[in-house]
Amino acid sequence: MKASAPGKIILFGEHAVVYSRPALAVPVTQVHVDVEVLDSPRKGIWIHSQGIDLHAELNSLPADHPVGSVILNLFSTLKISSLPALDISIDSTIPVAAGLGSGAAVSVALIRALALHLSHPLTDEQINDLVYEIEKLHHGTPSGIDNTVITYAKPVYFTKGRPMETFNVGKPFTIVIGDTGIPAPTKESVGDLRRLWLRNTNYFESIFNEIAQISLIARRSIESGKPELLGDFMDHNHSLLQEMTISSPELDKLVSAARNAGALGAKLSGSGRGGNMIALVDQAKAESVAGALISAGAKRAIITEIK
Ligand code: MEV
């Protein structure tokens, strides 16, 4: 059985979403994880992943291995005690630790393919709940937005602890994603912000409220077919993320380069410090903004149409 999962970007509201403010995220289908599960002629569960040079039997992996723990978690949920003989191939074009949700996408595609192969098909809701539990093992206190957008592969308006809402894109728009190439350590940036918030709660709460307003208005602009309004909201959200100490000189440099090359607005996206930034562009300017990002030091630039 085969299954896939896309990458993701957060358009608005990263970090504030951990404090129960709404955030907007969309799938990025140009990059994806593809998993194939086959019955194996030899004993054991063999995992092959060219990208991370992994060719190993499940039992030889450390207990907290991200792939091994997903498989064992699923077997325990499905109450499967005798392990079948399987060959599992994992291929991914999602850059690792870049804030595009590669870990959550591996979990979603792996669970979906395995559950289908074992004739225990799961609903998106069940997959999402399982992947959220796995995200908690690796990231401490995730909001759940990454696993949700990747599981449903639709634009989501997400508020922690509330039922997930998808939203419609009234008019397609183009985003250029620039990758600093610097790992984006979610656990650390979320932890640092928590310490600052504990010391100065009122100040950060008011920033989070401003971000919540941006997410709300941005959703309306997208739904009503006025994506050109998002540029200013992106700039504003980025300056709030800077105040939250979530940006970095490398991200700021890419954000400025995008704006100077004619983007309508730009901001960091995801956990920050490293990882990605995003820029809203007229389609005709997408290539030149992508080129400007590479000239300013981006390791890669991805042009994606949000629809
Ligand atoms: C990471 O992609 C998004 C953060 O808001 C963390 C989270 O929501 O769990 C930084």
Side-chain angles (χ1 to χ4, degrees):
M1 283 293 172
K2 289 185 184 176
S4 302
K8 69 98 212 319
I9 46 169
I10 296 185
L11 292 179
F12 296 98
E14 52 276 275
H15 284 284
V17 69
V18 176
Y19 298 80
S20 304
R21 293 342 189 260
L24 301 186
V26 290
V28 177
T29 48
Q30 280 85 350
V31 287
H32 40 90
V33 173
D34 300 293
V35 173
E36 182 167 31
V37 179
L38 296 169
D39 289 323
S40 179
R42 53 186 170 165
K43 269 194 181 161
I45 296 184
W46 292 86
I47 302 147
H48 315 277
S49 183
Q50 216 69 30
I52 50 170
D53 206 13
L54 176 70
H55 297 279
E57 206 283 315
L58 179 66
N59 288 321
S60 71
L61 296 175
D64 60 350
H65 190 280
V67 173
S69 56
V70 171
I71 299 173
L72 292 173
N73 249 294
L74 177 68
F75 285 168
S76 122
T77 305
L78 298 180
K79 302 197 172 26
I80 293 175
S81 46
S82 69
L83 298 188
L86 300 173
D87 274 307
I88 302 174
S89 313
I90 305 171
D91 284 309
S92 178
T93 54
I94 307 180
V96 175
L100 288 170
S102 67
V106 168
S107 302
V108 168
L110 187 54
I111 288 176
R112 203 171 262 150
L114 265 171
L116 281 172
H117 188 85
L118 299 169
S119 305
H120 281 277
L122 298 172
T123 61
D124 281 345
E125 199 180 345
Q126 288 170 311
I127 294 174
N128 196 27
D129 289 348
L130 260 169
V131 178
Y132 185 46
E133 291 309 311
I134 292 155
E135 290 278 287
K136 280 195 222 163
L137 298 177
H138 301 302
H139 295 309
T141 55
S143 63
I145 189 168
D146 290 5
N147 46 278
T148 302
V149 64
I150 288 169
T151 302
Y152 291 90
K154 286 190 183 135
V156 297
Y157 178 84
F158 180 88
T159 311
K160 191 170 140 186
R162 299 237 188 110
M164 185 270 308
E165 292 176 43
T166 60
F167 63 91
N168 290 322
V169 177
K171 184 169 138 200
F173 56 97
T174 307
I175 293 282
V176 183
I177 306 168
D179 183 358
T180 58
I182 300 167
T186 309
K187 205 171 180 172
E188 277 150 46
S189 55
V190 169
D192 289 352
L193 182 58
R194 180 156 299 269
R195 278 182 285 280
L196 291 173
W197 172 80
L198 282 171
R199 263 193 270 148
N200 207 343
T201 310
N202 289 344
Y203 173 70
F204 285 100
E205 283 291 308
S206 70
I207 294 184
F208 298 157
N209 286 340
E210 247 183 278
I211 294 178
Q213 282 305 314
I214 295 175
S215 291
L216 192 70
I217 310 171
R219 174 185 177 168
R220 283 202 206 116
S221 306
I222 295 172
E223 287 184 321
S224 61
K226 296 197 182 87
E228 62 282 358
L229 298 180
L230 300 179
D232 287 347
F233 303 150
M234 283 187 176
D235 291 344
H236 188 188
N237 196 164
H238 185 71
S239 67
L240 294 170
L241 285 158
Q242 285 174 316
E243 284 186 48
M244 286 152 67
T245 75
I246 293 304
S247 194
S248 66
E250 294 82 1
L251 283 164
D252 288 344
K253 189 174 174 197
L254 296 186
V255 164
S256 302
R259 289 177 188 154
N260 292 337
L264 302 169
K267 65 182 276 293
L268 72 84
S269 171
S271 32
R273 303 273 166 82
N276 289 298
M277 49 69 67
I278 55 174
L280 175 74
V281 295
D282 286 331
Q283 206 181 20
K285 290 236 169 90
E287 290 292 346
S288 59
V289 170
L293 290 174
I294 299 289
S295 303
K299 293 289 165 297
R300 75 179 68 72
I302 299 171
I303 299 170
T304 186
E305 171 111 319
I306 310 299
K307 48 192 177 200

